[in-house]
Amino acid sequence: MNLKTVIGLEIHVQLKTKSKMFCRCDNNAENAAPNSLVCSICMGMPGTLPVANKTAIEWTLKTGLALNSEIAEFSRFDRKHYFYPDLPKGYQISQYDKPFCTGGFLEIDSEGTLKKIGIRRVHLEEDAGKLVHPVGKNFTLVDLNRAGTPLMEIVTEPEIASPSEAKIFIQELRSILRYLDISDADMEKGHLRCDANISIEVDKKEGIPVEIKNMNSFRMVERALLFEEKRQKDLLEKPLNYARGEGEKIIKETRGWDDAKGNTYSQRSKEFAQDYRYFPEPDLPPFAPHKAFNIEQLKQQLPELPAAKRLRYIKIGLPVQDAAIIAIDKSMAQYFEKVVQKVTPRLAANWIINELKSNGILSIAPDNLILLLEKIDKGEISGKISKEILGVMLDTGKKPEEIIVEKGIKQIGSEDELGQIIENIISKNDKSVIDYRAGKKEALGFLVGQVMRETKGQANPQIVNKLLIDKLAKD
Ligand code: ADP
Ligand code: MG
Ligand code: ZN
């Protein structure tokens, strides 16, 4: 039995426009009192009319372009009907058969191999409100601040082959959304929400997709899919006699992820497709994106995306791993690009990843890091001392020069200063000198060590090495 995992994602993204999707209400609900950012439109009062947010549409088109999608010739909004207390109108304005963008792909780096994951569509809709369940109370509250927030939906083809690939896909997508500057895309805060469909193909025969919900972080997506993959494979490999009431079988259903218990659980069956009674939204005219927007110009406005940055970083000399770590993080990439104007790329990347990342990248001004790294680049201070200086920089925000003066750190880099010390060491260590000249190269290491001790580690070992070799060759 040949089992193959098949995963497709439906990802919802809250766009951080100033106002909501179809009204002028403030779209930033963070820390706002419940139901304080609402109006008759987003509360669904009869007789009100929606007006589409142009920026939200533009951002959806930009996302489509970034994902190599086709921009529709003709597009429109549709009403999707269902009843739920957080949906005041009784329908959601969404897009059905005429989404803004169709097709396309996102290329991900799956453990060293590049792989294109197909995109099915990108469309725009409005978010619903939130239900709040006060602990120990027998009632539920409704907060409509989120009702009407622009919500972009990205649907992939079922071409993701493993839970880890699913995680990598969402991480890459999040990075793109941040580069486009259209969403904070924070999964923990619900700006980026992911439903995952997973099935197991048996000997090339299509499996039954199960939809997983309630995953609020990358870690949860991967864990939930790993659990579900195993659950389904076990059921296929060791089928119990379901007819006799033993075990379960895979059915088309929606399952929730319980992070505390570490398992998925059945929420509702999807054996019967829900009828949303879609029909074209009569209050919003359909339109042609190519006429309403300058698509060519939007394309040109796209920033450099993480995949292109990775390639460019590799070209200027970064190891593949370092390039990936920096390019995926917009703020780290911006930081790196400032530093690299003055410092060699490898040194900059090395320090940003190994010394700053764990300490919070923005806690040192890039200009100050440049000052420090330039000294290392020129061999004025050793690696050991520069890390001490960095520690003080992180604590105090001072410039490296200031710290060097305050701490009385001498920069023993000049040949004059070192020359004196080296001569001293040579005259005190006859035996090592004789050994070295007799071909015992390890004697040199000993002499370098002596100089470093004499200078309390403040000399640059490479320079000491070079000066010693010169001197020993001459005398
Ligand atoms: P629906 O219309 O019920 O939402 P779709 O066919 O539109 O279903 O697909 C929704 C999501 O399910 C897409 O992300 C798609 O990639 C995924 N999907 C479709 N078929 C499968 C499958 N056999 N296994 C896993 N995921 C699938
Ligand atoms: Mg769907
Ligand atoms: Zn409103």
Side-chain angles (χ1 to χ4, degrees), residues 6-10 120 155-158 197-199 206-207 209:
V6 177
I7 298 170
L9 303 175
E10 293 168 276
R120 193 173 274 186
V155 183
T156 77
E157 292 294 345
N197 303 275
I198 173 169
S199 67
E206 198 179 317

Side-chain angles (χ1 to χ4, degrees), residues 209-228:
V210 170
E211 185 183 37
I212 318 288
K213 286 182 179 291
N214 316 347
M215 303 166 292
N216 309 321
S217 69
F218 298 120
R219 207 189 100 265
M220 284 192 215
V221 171
E222 193 177 19
R223 280 185 75 207
L225 285 172
L226 278 170
F227 175 88
E228 186 61 21

Side-chain angles (χ1 to χ4, degrees), residues 233-294:
K233 282 186 174 172
D234 283 352
L235 289 175
L236 291 167
E237 277 169 341
K238 298 171 245 158
L240 294 170
N241 193 330
Y242 182 73
R244 284 215 312 256
E246 294 168 10
E248 10 170 20
K249 65 174 178 180
I250 300 169
I251 55 165
K252 199 166 156 60
E253 63 176 343
T254 300
R255 297 175 72 89
W257 168 247
D258 185 328
D259 200 50
K261 291 201 186 122
N263 63 255
T264 63
Y265 59 94
S266 183
Q267 285 183 321
R268 67 183 163 91
S269 160
K270 293 217 294 186
E271 292 291 345
F272 304 98
Q274 205 174 335
D275 183 2
Y276 292 117
R277 294 153 54 236
Y278 277 105
F279 67 74
E281 167 61 60
D283 292 335
L284 291 163
F287 70 98
H290 287 274
K291 292 200 179 121
F293 293 87
N294 185 338

Side-chain angles (χ1 to χ4, degrees), residues 80-238:
K80 177 182 181 178
H81 297 81
Y82 63 89
F83 289 101
Y84 207 65
D86 63 9
L87 189 74
K89 290 196 294 286
Y91 61 85
Q92 175 193 32
I93 303 181
S94 179
Q95 296 194 280
Y96 183 52
D97 55 349
K98 298 287 175 195
F100 288 124
C101 321
T102 51
F105 63 88
L106 174 58
E107 192 168 58
I108 58 167
D109 184 342
S110 173
E111 279 142 29
T113 43
L114 294 178
K115 179 175 175 189
K116 284 182 180 151
I117 306 293
I119 302 291
R120 193 173 274 186
R121 58 189 277 154
V122 182
H123 78 244
L124 191 55
E125 57 192 33
E126 57 179 337
D127 210 344
K130 252 187 209 162
L131 296 185
V132 184
H133 311 281
V135 183
K137 298 280 167 44
N138 64 349
F139 56 80
T140 293
L141 299 167
V142 185
D143 178 5
L144 293 180
N145 281 349
R146 199 180 67 181
T149 283
L151 199 61
M152 183 170 71
E153 182 172 341
I154 299 161
V155 183
T156 77
E157 292 294 345
E159 295 175 355
I160 297 167
S162 70
S164 88
E165 256 184 42
K167 185 179 81 174
I168 293 167
F169 180 93
I170 308 170
Q171 284 173 333
E172 185 75 10
L173 180 68
R174 175 180 72 165
S175 173
I176 290 173
L177 296 166
R178 289 183 174 169
Y179 275 109
L180 293 176
D181 207 14
I182 63 177
S183 174
D184 291 331
D186 194 333
M187 276 195 91
E188 278 84 356
K189 289 188 178 158
H191 307 143
L192 183 78
R193 309 197 286 266
C194 174
D195 300 337
N197 303 275
I198 173 169
S199 67
I200 309 292
E201 212 178 85
V202 184
D203 298 329
K204 309 233 157 173
K205 197 172 143 280
E206 198 179 317
I208 300 164
V210 170
E211 185 183 37
I212 318 288
K213 286 182 179 291
N214 316 347
M215 303 166 292
N216 309 321
S217 69
F218 298 120
R219 207 189 100 265
M220 284 192 215
V221 171
E222 193 177 19
R223 280 185 75 207
L225 285 172
L226 278 170
F227 175 88
E228 186 61 21
E229 180 182 48
K230 182 166 186 309
R231 186 186 76 90
Q232 292 185 19
K233 282 186 174 172
D234 283 352
L235 289 175
L236 291 167
E237 277 169 341
K238 298 171 245 158

Side-chain angles (χ1 to χ4, degrees), residues 20 23-25 37-42:
K20 290 188 183 179
C23 63
R24 290 170 178 238
C25 287
L37 307 177
V38 293
C39 71
S40 53
I41 295 174
C42 55

Side-chain angles (χ1 to χ4, degrees), residues 439-455:
K440 274 197 182 173
K441 296 294 169 204
E442 56 281 16
L444 184 68
F446 173 76
L447 291 170
V448 172
Q450 293 301 303
V451 177
M452 294 308 291
R453 220 176 84 176
E454 189 68 27
T455 58

